[in-house]
Amino acid sequence: MNPISSPLQRLDKFPILFFAVMFFGAFSIAFVIPLLSTYIIEELQEPAFNLALVIGGFSVVSLVTNRIFGGLIDGGNRVKPLLLINICAFTVHALIQLTAPSYLSLVILGIPLIGISAGALSTMYSTGRLIAEQTGRDPGTFNLHMRICLSLGWVFGPPAAFLLYGTYGFQEIHMAAAISAFIWLTLCLLFIPATLKTHIKKHAQESSTANTVPMMLVIACVPVFALSAANSVFFSAGPVYFIKEMGLSVSVPGWAFATKSLFEVIIIYFAIKPTQRIGERNMMLLSGLGAMLFFATITSATSVGQVLMLCIIEGMYYGICASVGITFIQNYARHKPGIATSYFVNAIFVGGLAGNVLTGLVASYTTFQNTILSSVVLAALATLILLVIKPPQHQQLAQTS
């Protein structure tokens, strides 16, 4: 491997600089996306079914963006310009809604801009993977640290946004989002090396078969997809179930999600050494078993204390999935880290979308309790695949230049 550049040496010495980019990216996105439904219905006074157009639209754009950008990274393109495209798309969207808020601008401009900006997650994960490998760090450990930054962004982003919305309004939300985006953009310009790109050789004589995505990579995405969908079902159906069907206080969902998020961050931090000992596949298996236990018992809770105790399990199982899952998937396509990372992000993203759809369908014909119980099937599917899937071949990462 060639000697690393000065900007990369700086990140090697102070990796917190990259984690700051990761945190502000996650915070910025988490500051806006959870409020989209409230913004469309309450602020823009649009009917609820219009949510499907916006959320479905930017989800599709994000999936395509992840796939294209992942291929560009694996093809030898520099990652910084791609990340700047993601960030600038988010910044422009915030400025448009700040100066000309309307449903029309949200559909015509917001869908592509939000979709492209949401692809920043995949780009930042790919960037982190390259930084880790080119500075001699363990990619799995670095992935866990990135996931902590991402989770912290989602721990602070939505509460800050809802607090600001409840105190002031959406004009201040868009202003704060624009400020956060400019901080994110500034950090990227300052700390991401301009020359950073893949170090894996691309052989001209590669066959078309070598360029195809391994089937085992696709299969490895299924457990991540299923566990993400189950987590999304709980986020969607949990608050209504706790308040409407259990008759608990309206503050309980907030405490439940806070408990879940806190233990998600804790488990991500402490999962590093167990993962090194037993491997990513076995850790993912523990995640699947934990999900089965949580969804099989949460609807049996009868008090706030029991709900919070069980939410610790929810945070633990999803903390493992969200942190270890990326390395688990990357191991099945070590010669294509950009594509593998985009598949991981897409599995998380599509799983969340599928969970929301499942909640709507099941809850429309039955109860929210049964909706949550249906997630046991998703957890069982993830566990079954993890039991039978073959572990990745222990090949060398790839020849480096």
Side-chain angles (χ1 to χ4, degrees), residues 5-24:
S5 62
S6 297
L8 197 55
Q9 288 178 345
R10 179 174 58 182
L11 287 181
D12 184 29
K13 188 175 182 180
F14 304 105
I16 193 173
L17 298 177
F18 173 74
F19 295 141
V21 179
M22 191 84 179
F23 172 79
F24 271 96

Side-chain angles (χ1 to χ4, degrees), residues 1 129-130 133-134 197-201 399-401:
M1 185 178 296
R129 176 87 183 197
L130 294 177
E133 291 180 353
Q134 294 181 23
K197 60 182 180 180
T198 184
H199 53 286
I200 299 175
K201 287 182 178 179
Q399 291 183 349
T400 56
S401 55

Side-chain angles (χ1 to χ4, degrees), residues 57-334:
F58 85 70
S59 298
V60 171
V61 174
S62 180
L63 294 177
V64 174
T65 300
N66 289 340
R67 186 67 174 85
I68 293 175
F69 279 27
L72 290 173
I73 292 172
D74 287 341
N77 288 270
R78 293 179 296 124
V79 297
K80 186 169 185 175
L82 300 177
L83 185 55
L84 287 174
I85 292 174
N86 295 137
I87 301 174
C88 288
F90 182 87
T91 306
V92 171
H93 166 71
L95 292 175
I96 289 174
Q97 294 306 312
L98 178 64
T99 57
S102 70
Y103 183 72
L104 185 62
S105 67
L106 188 62
V107 171
I108 296 177
L109 300 174
I111 287 177
L113 290 173
I114 296 175
I116 293 172
S117 63
L121 173 60
S122 177
T123 308
M124 287 191 295
Y125 265 126
S126 296
T127 302
R129 176 87 183 197
L130 294 177
I131 291 173
E133 291 180 353
Q134 294 181 23
T135 58
R137 296 175 181 271
D138 177 63
T141 302
F142 206 76
N143 282 338
L144 292 175
H145 289 155
M146 285 192 290
R147 181 62 208 191
I148 290 175
C149 295
L150 177 64
S151 294
L152 287 175
W154 278 86
V155 166
F156 293 110
F162 277 101
L163 178 62
L164 192 62
Y165 165 65
T167 306
Y168 299 102
F170 274 104
Q171 186 73 7
E172 285 70 19
I173 289 288
H174 299 317
M175 176 65 75
I179 293 173
S180 179
F182 279 117
I183 296 175
W184 184 16
L185 178 62
T186 301
L187 292 175
C188 177
L189 289 171
L190 289 176
F191 301 134
I192 301 301
T195 58
L196 181 65
K197 60 182 180 180
T198 184
H199 53 286
I200 299 175
K201 287 182 178 179
K202 185 177 181 181
H203 300 284
Q205 68 271 22
E206 280 183 329
S207 65
S208 59
T209 303
N211 288 322
T212 59
V213 176
M215 179 55 64
M216 290 302 295
L217 171 65
V218 178
I219 296 175
C221 288
V222 177
V224 175
F225 162 82
L227 293 174
S228 177
N231 177 70
S232 178
V233 168
F234 178 65
F235 260 100
S236 302
V240 181
Y241 170 66
F242 292 144
I243 297 171
K244 299 275 187 184
E245 297 182 7
M246 284 189 67
L248 299 177
S249 167
V250 294
S251 63
V252 171
W255 286 111
F257 292 148
T259 302
K260 178 258 186 192
S261 299
L262 174 62
F263 278 87
E264 182 179 315
V265 172
I266 292 174
I267 199 66
I268 289 172
Y269 181 79
F270 286 102
I272 297 175
K273 289 187 177 179
T275 301
Q276 292 173 339
R277 291 177 182 173
I278 68 176
E280 288 82 7
R281 180 191 176 207
N282 289 331
M283 287 292 289
M284 287 294 296
L285 184 58
L286 288 177
S287 176
L289 293 173
M292 290 179 63
L293 174 63
F294 171 74
F295 288 108
T297 57
I298 186 60
T299 55
S300 300
T302 57
S303 67
V304 175
Q306 291 176 357
V307 168
L308 297 183
M309 287 294 294
L310 290 173
C311 282
I312 294 176
I313 300 176
E314 213 270 347
M316 294 174 69
Y317 99 74
Y318 195 67
I320 294 174
C321 172
S323 58
V324 178
I326 182 172
T327 309
F328 170 71
I329 288 177
Q330 285 175 339
N331 285 343
Y332 286 93
R334 300 187 182 187

